[in-house]
C-alpha cells in the first residue's frame, strides 16, 4: 500500500464532513447531561458546504437579532441566545403552551479551521444564516507541475 | 431523555383527511401558545421562514386555520452536509369555542412568529354580575 489510510481525520477516505455528525452527537450527549431543555439538541442546525466555506442555518424564531451571540474558536462555532416566555397579566390564562422559552447554546465543530474575521451572520424571518469561511491557509491549492526542459 | 428529544424536533403535520395537497412538500405543525385574555384570544405560532406575505388565515364557522408558506432560502452551489431539521410549510387548525368578532381579527408576523388576535364578540365577553342582597 502506497498511501496511508485510516489515520487522522482526513485520512480515512470518508468525507471529512462525516466527522461533523459524530462530533455533534458526542457534544450533545455531553451537554444534555447538565441542562434542561437539553441544550445540545436545540436549536436544530442544517449545514451547507463547499470546499471553501460552510453555511450553518438554524431556526430560532422570535429572537431579537441583537441578542444572538456567535463565537468562533478554531474549528468550533457556538451560537447562544434566549427567548423569554410570553408575559401573562392578571385575568389571562394559557390554553396551550408549546413554544419553547429559555436559554439555548449550540456548538458544532467543522472539519476545518474557520477564518474568524470573515464570519458573517444574517437573521431573517426567524432563521439565522452564518457563513463560516475556511481559513485561507487551509484552502485547497492547485500546484502546478513544471516540465523540465530537455 | 428520549421524550425531551422529541419535543425539540419539528413535528410533521398529519395529512388532513380527504384533502390532497397540490404542493409536494413537507408540512409541519407549528408550536403554538394560546392565550386567553378578557377581551380576546391570542394565538402565537412559531413559523420560521414565513413572512407576512406567506400567511393564510381562515376562520370558518368555529375553526381557525393557519397556513404558512415557506419560500426556502437555500445557499447557492452548496451541498447539504448535515440536516437536523426539515424545511416545509406550516399548517394547523383550532376550534374556537367563543364567539369571535370576525371583522376585527388581526394578524402580524415578526421574526418568524405569527400572532393572531381574535377579539371576542361583545356578547361573549365575560360580564361580572353583581348579586344584590334580597
Amino acid at each position: 500500500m502506497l498511501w496511508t489510510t485510516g489515520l487522522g481525520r482526513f485520512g480515512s477516505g470518508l468525507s471529512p464532513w462525516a466527522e461533523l455528525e459524530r462530533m455533534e452527537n458526542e457534544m450533545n450527549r455531553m451537554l444534555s447531561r447538565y441542562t434542561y431543555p437539553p441544550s445540545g439538541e436545540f436549536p436544530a442546525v442544517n449545514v451547507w458546504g463547499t470546499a471553501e466555506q460552510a453555511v450553518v442555518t438554524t431556526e430560532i424564531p422570535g429572537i431579537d437579532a441583537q441578542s444572538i451571540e456567535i463565537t468562533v474558536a478554531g474549528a468550533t462555532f457556538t451560537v447562544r441566545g434566549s427567548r423569554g416566555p410570553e408575559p401573562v397579566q392578571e385575568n389571562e390564562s394559557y390554553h396551550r403552551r408549546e413554544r419553547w422559552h429559555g436559554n439555548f447554546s449550540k456548538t458544532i465543530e467543522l472539519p476545518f479551521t474557520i477564518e474568524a474575521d470573515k464570519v458573517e451572520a444574517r437573521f431573517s424571518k426567524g432563521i439565522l444564516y452564518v457563513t463560516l469561511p475556511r481559513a485561507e491557509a487551509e484552502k485547497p491549492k492547485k500546484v502546478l507541475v513544471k516540465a523540465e526542459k530537455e | 431523555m428520549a421524550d425531551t428529544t422529541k419535543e425539540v424536533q419539528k413535528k410533521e403535520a398529519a395529512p388532513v383527511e380527504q384533502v390532497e395537497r397540490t404542493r409536494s412538500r413537507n408540512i409541519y405543525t407549528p408550536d403554538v401558545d394560546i392565550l386567553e385574555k378578557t377581551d380576546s384570544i391570542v394565538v402565537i405560532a412559531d413559523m420560521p421562514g414565513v413572512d407576512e406575505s406567506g400567511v393564510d388565515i381562515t376562520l370558518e364557522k368555529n375553526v381557525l386555520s393557519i397556513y404558512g408558506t415557506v419560500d426556502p432560502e437555500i445557499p447557492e452551489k452548496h451541498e447539504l452536509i448535515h440536516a437536523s431539521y426539515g424545511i416545509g410549510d406550516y399548517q394547523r387548525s383550532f376550534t374556537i369555542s367563543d364567539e369571535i368578532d370576525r371583522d376585527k381579527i388581526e394578524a402580524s408576523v415578526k421574526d418568524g412568529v405569527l400572532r393572531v388576535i381574535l377579539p371576542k364578540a361583545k356578547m361573549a365577553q365575560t360580564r361580572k354580575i353583581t348579586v344584590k342582597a334580597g
Side-chain angles (χ1 to χ4, degrees):
Chain A
M1 186 103 82
L2 195 60
W3 311 105
T4 323
T5 55
L7 287 175
R9 288 163 62 188
F10 297 98
S12 63
L14 285 168
S15 155
W17 295 103
E19 187 76 359
L20 178 74
E21 206 140 331
R22 196 189 62 79
M23 279 299 303
E24 204 206 346
N25 292 340
E26 205 161 284
M27 231 174 281
N28 288 347
R29 239 193 343 267
M30 258 157 51
L31 289 168
S32 60
R33 222 177 285 159
Y34 305 108
T35 55
Y36 184 84
S39 71
E41 286 159 21
F42 184 88
V45 297
N46 282 359
V47 183
W48 306 78
T50 64
E52 309 224 314
Q53 64 175 37
V55 176
V56 176
T57 63
T58 185
E59 296 184 329
I60 41 173
I63 284 186
D64 177 20
Q66 301 297 317
S67 73
I68 303 170
E69 193 187 306
I70 294 167
T71 49
V72 168
T76 58
F77 154 78
T78 303
V79 57
R80 281 192 195 90
S82 69
R83 185 169 83 169
E86 191 66 22
V88 185
Q89 269 116 48
E90 239 180 288
N91 304 326
E92 296 182 2
S93 61
Y94 272 106
H95 286 309
R96 255 167 215 267
R97 201 171 192 179
E98 301 167 353
R99 296 166 69 237
W100 63 271
H101 60 84
N103 301 317
F104 68 84
S105 165
K106 178 93 177 186
T107 300
I108 57 168
E109 178 156 353
L110 297 179
F112 56 73
T113 309
I114 302 157
E115 186 76 57
D117 298 339
K118 291 186 183 153
V119 173
E120 279 172 29
R122 190 166 56 87
F123 188 60
S124 154
K125 301 182 210 170
I127 304 175
L128 177 70
Y129 301 82
V130 187
T131 307
L132 303 154
R134 191 168 182 170
E136 208 57 49
E138 280 189 19
K139 279 187 186 167
K141 282 204 179 71
K142 205 169 179 179
V143 178
L144 285 175
V145 180
K146 285 178 198 160
E148 243 175 62
K149 280 172 196 159
E150 283 175 23
Chain B
M1 209 77 233
D3 288 344
T4 57
T5 315
K6 229 185 244 173
E7 276 174 30
V8 296
Q9 278 175 359
K10 280 170 107 172
K11 291 171 281 290
E12 234 177 292
V16 182
E17 269 179 62
Q18 289 166 348
V19 178
E20 282 194 62
R21 295 174 192 152
T22 49
R23 287 152 66 94
S24 65
R25 59 164 59 180
N26 293 340
I27 298 183
Y28 295 96
T29 304
D31 285 342
V32 298
D33 283 354
I34 300 178
L35 199 57
E36 170 143 21
K37 303 196 177 192
T38 42
D39 54 352
S40 63
I41 291 170
V42 183
V43 177
I44 307 160
D46 278 346
M47 303 204 288
V50 173
D51 61 12
E52 56 282 357
S53 61
V55 183
D56 196 17
I57 301 165
T58 51
L59 180 63
E60 203 182 331
K61 286 180 184 158
N62 61 345
V63 177
L64 173 79
S65 302
I66 52 179
Y67 193 96
T69 309
V70 173
D71 190 11
E73 249 185 82
I74 294 183
E76 264 179 61
K77 290 178 187 166
H78 283 61
E79 191 190 336
L80 181 61
I81 287 146
H82 171 85
S84 53
Y85 69 87
I87 301 167
D89 292 347
Y90 300 92
Q91 185 179 39
R92 201 152 173 185
S93 301
F94 305 95
T95 315
I96 307 280
S97 52
D98 288 281
E99 277 298 316
I100 298 297
D101 190 343
R102 281 148 201 268
D103 300 331
K104 289 185 183 145
I105 296 174
E106 278 174 47
S108 59
V109 182
K110 189 175 181 273
D111 295 331
V113 179
L114 170 73
R115 182 180 283 263
V116 187
I117 300 168
L118 304 148
K120 288 182 193 168
K122 280 279 178 283
M123 291 292 286
Q125 282 184 30
T126 335
R127 268 168 298 180
K128 198 168 182 182
I129 297 156
T130 9
V131 181
K132 287 176 197 162

